Amino acid sequence: MGNYVCSQCRGPAVFRMRHHRLAFCQPHYLEWFIEQTARVIEKYHMFAPTDRILVAVSGGKDSLALWDVLWRLGYQADGLYINLGISSQEGDYSNESQRYAKDFAGQNGLRLHVVDILQQYGESIPQFASRSQRGRIKPCGVCGLVKRHVMNRVARDEGYDVLTTAHNLDDEAAVLMSNTMAWQVDLLQRQYPVLPAEDGFVRKAKPFCRFYERETAAYSLLRGIEYEEEECPFSVGSKQLVYKDMLNKMEETTPGIKMNFYAGFLNARSAGYFSPQNKADNEQSRELHRCPTCGQPTASDGACAFCRLVKAA
Amino acid sequence: MPVTLILRKKEYTVEGTITVKDALKQLGLSPESHLVVRDGQLLTENDALRNGEVVKLVAVISGG
């Protein structure tokens, strides 16, 4: 078995993607990756060159790679790090992750907003979760709620046009599998690479949604980005990891199956297969109110779930 | 001395000479969710690992 050659220059390849039937040397992979990101941004009309972009940064490989690619493409992209106050026996996960985000911002002269949940709201995510029904078994539900609230608030308060997250194809395929297994059609309707701004929600975009997770990792490694390699201690045994593992087992025997699963869904969705039959019913079920405490949109007719969580602290 | 592969501070060993693909298979690790790095250089699945070498395994799947 010979070594692979770069599809571009025929030199020795360092990374191969079976589903694309492509292999690249380091410079050509980095180039290809940036071009593909630009293509996805354009394909889904995610944002314009003049838009102000807020990048949700966790300190991990995906979000730092996204921030790196966006500023290299010339976008005005600032970062947002949310310190969740998570630590474990293995280490100080949140503070370590923040250090990677701050170092990246410092090295590249980029602006980073930091929101420390414990300092700002009086409790860390594990503390919030421990006394909440939503987080009693695992704090991930509470964590998602807090992050969504803070990301939208900062994006609105600071006047950003779009909030970007580094969800990759493995993330999207795992969510799609989860929603499909439960036939959660309402959630399938809302899964898309870009969600328009509406009723107080800022526009959201996922420029990495067509990359496999190993591709974003390869970009970070080949670019020399230093990132938090440790996993969130609460992610152990998560449903998302179980689905990712299942999808990767299928990918090993059938290259491209993850991509086909997700891309096929997007095509079906665009063709209207997941659209509500009755538009009025759908709009009613999505009717949003303004939270009297924080002013953010909420489905409940009173304080939003975030404010109820914080108030109970 | 066998090949040493380090994944998040945990050490694994396999007998060389062996390809990256076969080493991952022996350890029961998916090539879809692990990358192999030697001296900062990314290796493809056909690259050979030789006895005495120490390489880093990078888990690429995250989530919660």
Side-chain angles (χ1 to χ4, degrees):
Chain A
M1 225 177 336
N3 284 341
Y4 298 105
V5 294
C6 174
S7 308
Q8 191 85 21
C9 67
R10 314 308 292 168
V14 297
F15 189 61
R16 177 184 175 232
M17 294 167 284
R18 289 194 306 163
H19 57 294
H20 287 312
R21 297 185 182 188
L22 288 173
F24 287 114
C25 63
Q26 179 178 17
H28 284 127
Y29 180 69
L30 297 175
E31 207 173 272
W32 175 86
F33 191 90
I34 292 174
E35 281 170 10
Q36 292 300 309
T37 309
R39 200 176 280 189
V40 167
I41 291 167
E42 195 182 337
K43 179 181 169 74
Y44 295 103
H45 308 289
M46 289 182 169
F47 37 81
T50 51
D51 280 344
R52 290 186 68 227
I53 300 166
L54 184 64
V55 186
V57 177
S58 68
K61 65 186 189 311
D62 300 297
S63 57
L64 291 181
L66 176 61
W67 203 5
D68 184 89
V69 170
L70 291 180
W71 78 259
R72 283 176 194 277
L73 283 169
Y75 288 104
Q76 189 190 337
D78 297 340
L80 166 63
Y81 179 79
I82 303 173
N83 190 314
L84 306 164
I86 294 173
S87 59
S88 69
Q89 285 178 334
E90 277 72 46
D92 201 349
Y93 176 73
S94 288
N95 289 337
E96 271 294 295
S97 301
Q98 181 174 328
R99 188 177 61 77
Y100 282 104
K102 282 185 92 160
D103 286 353
F104 182 86
Q107 284 156 14
N108 296 293
L110 300 170
R111 184 181 180 201
L112 177 70
H113 302 271
V114 175
V115 174
D116 189 308
I117 298 300
L118 176 62
Q119 278 179 17
Q120 190 149 359
Y121 299 105
E123 285 192 322
S124 66
I125 292 294
Q127 287 170 324
F128 275 131
S130 66
R131 52 170 186 73
S132 141
Q133 185 68 32
R134 191 190 286 255
R136 194 157 293 169
I137 299 169
K138 266 176 98 72
C140 306
V142 167
C143 186
L145 168 72
V146 171
K147 283 195 289 193
R148 284 191 298 275
H149 174 92
V150 172
M151 288 190 292
N152 197 59
R153 177 180 62 74
V154 173
R156 284 178 54 189
D157 289 354
E158 300 288 334
Y160 288 95
D161 298 294
V162 60
L163 169 71
T164 59
T165 55
H167 290 94
N168 55 54
L169 191 142
D170 291 55
D171 296 321
E172 293 299 297
V175 168
L176 177 59
M177 192 175 206
S178 172
N179 291 340
T180 305
M181 295 303 280
W183 286 118
Q184 289 185 285
V185 182
D186 55 330
L187 296 181
L188 291 171
Q189 282 167 17
R190 291 185 351 229
Q191 187 176 358
Y192 201 62
V194 61
L195 294 175
E198 57 163 356
D199 298 330
F201 285 117
V202 73
R203 189 185 342 148
K204 297 184 191 75
K206 303 170 188 172
F208 279 1
C209 66
R210 305 290 291 233
F211 287 126
Y212 279 14
E213 197 149 7
R214 66 191 292 276
E215 294 164 17
T216 57
Y219 180 85
S220 284
L221 288 168
L222 292 171
R223 179 63 78 191
I225 296 170
E226 291 186 8
Y227 63 88
E228 175 59 273
E229 287 186 36
E230 294 300 321
E231 275 293 287
C232 172
F234 294 111
S235 72
V236 180
S238 78
K239 198 170 73 171
Q240 192 190 22
L241 285 179
V242 171
Y243 285 128
K244 282 186 174 184
D245 190 44
M246 288 166 72
L247 287 160
N248 275 333
K249 283 196 169 69
M250 290 193 273
E251 184 74 23
E252 279 179 45
T253 55
T254 316
I257 197 165
K258 280 189 300 194
M259 189 171 68
N260 293 341
F261 180 50
Y262 180 58
F265 160 71
L266 292 181
N267 290 340
R269 188 188 175 283
S270 296
Y273 285 105
F274 297 99
S275 300
Q277 289 184 331
N278 186 329
K279 202 169 175 231
D281 281 357
N282 185 52
E283 279 169 3
Q284 204 168 21
S285 69
R286 283 273 297 156
E287 194 183 336
L288 295 171
H289 310 272
R290 193 120 342 245
C291 171
T293 312
C294 69
Q296 290 221 49
T298 171
S300 62
D301 196 10
C304 68
F306 174 82
C307 288
R308 292 200 303 273
L309 178 76
V310 172
K311 195 179 172 188
Chain B
M1 229 169 70
V3 183
T4 305
L5 302 98
I6 303 172
L7 174 63
R8 286 181 178 146
K9 297 172 194 160
K10 201 169 170 187
E11 287 192 8
Y12 299 87
T13 55
V14 294
E15 277 302 321
T17 300
I18 187 169
T19 63
V20 164
K21 185 182 181 180
D22 288 340
L24 290 175
K25 196 174 177 184
Q26 250 187 52
L27 298 174
L29 300 173
S30 169
E32 291 301 325
S33 51
H34 295 84
L35 295 175
V36 182
V37 179
R38 177 170 55 205
D39 300 328
Q41 300 293 314
L42 205 50
L43 303 182
T44 66
E45 58 260 50
N46 282 359
D47 282 319
L49 302 175
R50 293 182 178 81
N51 280 336
E53 277 186 336
V54 179
V55 296
K56 182 181 174 186
L57 288 170
V58 179
V60 303
I61 298 299
S62 58

